Amino acid sequence: GDSVTQTEGLVTLTKGLPVMLNCTYQTTYSPFLFWYVQHLNEAPKLLLKSSTDNKRTEHQGFYATLHKSSSSFHLQKSSVQLSDSALYFCALNPSGGNYKPTFGKGTSLVVHP
Amino acid sequence: EAAVTQSPRNKVAVTGGKVTLSCNQTNNHNNMYWYRQDTGHGLRLIHYSYGAGSTEKGDIPDGYKASRPSQENFSLILELATPSQTSVYFCASGGGGAETLYFGSGTRLTVL
């Protein structure tokens, strides 16, 4: 079956530093990849998404590139802010008629002053 | 902006009692989902639906039932609630192919 792996459970950084949150996936179909962000006591919401190989997608200073050759969709930001502290989920929608999204376990990002 | 509304926001139930969590979406999405969120486990899929009248088992369906009486409404039912079902529950709609998932605000359920 499909799977999504996020290797970091917790990332702690100082404001202004760059960050990369890892996401790799497995599927037998052509994938749609998503990053969702969940701030404390809120619902998850879309941060960015992509299905195009080797094309960078950006939103709110975050960016990610889908690399089908390595089955990866890492999330990056060049300079984190305090407001970026949140839980980040990588998710996969397969394209083979199965509409069951698969989520990674999430990475908690904590940004210190 | 897509809208998904959950009720209640908070619920305290007794062990062995019946609990119904409700979800309504005005997005006209075919697909709807119920997840639970626990620390260390991320979002785990309980049940989902492709449309009115359909329900499918997710990854952790034991102890839960679901009902989709209409395009807009999707309920999660705990017939005999147990303390292990204490969690935060999210409903979502969308999610097919390139579609984004839109989440409700969540229901915090405590089973005593």
Side-chain angles (χ1 to χ4, degrees), chain A residues 16-99:
Chain A
L17 291 179
V19 66
M20 184 171 82
L21 306 183
N22 291 309
C23 174
T24 56
Y25 65 90
Q26 284 189 311
T27 182
T28 55
Y29 297 100
S30 185
F32 296 88
L33 270 295
F34 301 74
W35 277 100
Y36 291 89
V37 59
Q38 183 181 25
H39 289 95
L40 190 62
N41 295 325
E42 295 184 6
K45 60 184 179 182
L46 178 70
L47 180 58
L48 48 78
K49 64 180 179 181
S50 179
S51 61
T52 305
D53 199 11
N54 297 317
K55 181 181 177 183
R56 177 163 151 162
T57 299
E58 299 188 35
H59 186 62
Q60 296 182 338
F62 287 91
Y63 59 95
T65 303
L66 176 60
H67 292 295
K68 293 184 179 180
S69 61
S70 58
S71 299
S72 67
F73 190 56
H74 306 318
L75 181 69
Q76 296 179 263
K77 191 174 187 184
S78 57
S79 174
V80 294
Q81 304 303 308
L82 296 177
S83 58
D84 294 328
S85 293
L87 187 56
Y88 292 81
F89 291 103
C90 184
L92 162 71
N93 283 5
S95 60
N98 172 358
Y99 296 120

Side-chain angles (χ1 to χ4, degrees), chain B residues 26-46:
Chain B
T26 58
N27 314 314
N28 199 33
H29 287 151
N30 290 328
N31 304 327
M32 295 186 74
Y33 306 83
W34 277 106
Y35 292 90
R36 65 177 283 176
Q37 184 174 31
D38 304 285
T39 304
H41 291 281
L43 292 164
R44 292 185 289 175
L45 182 64
I46 307 170

Side-chain angles (χ1 to χ4, degrees), chain B residues 80-101:
Chain B
L80 295 169
T82 68
S84 65
Q85 294 175 314
T86 293
S87 186
V88 178
Y89 292 84
F90 285 101
C91 176
S93 74
E99 283 189 28
T100 300
L101 270 178

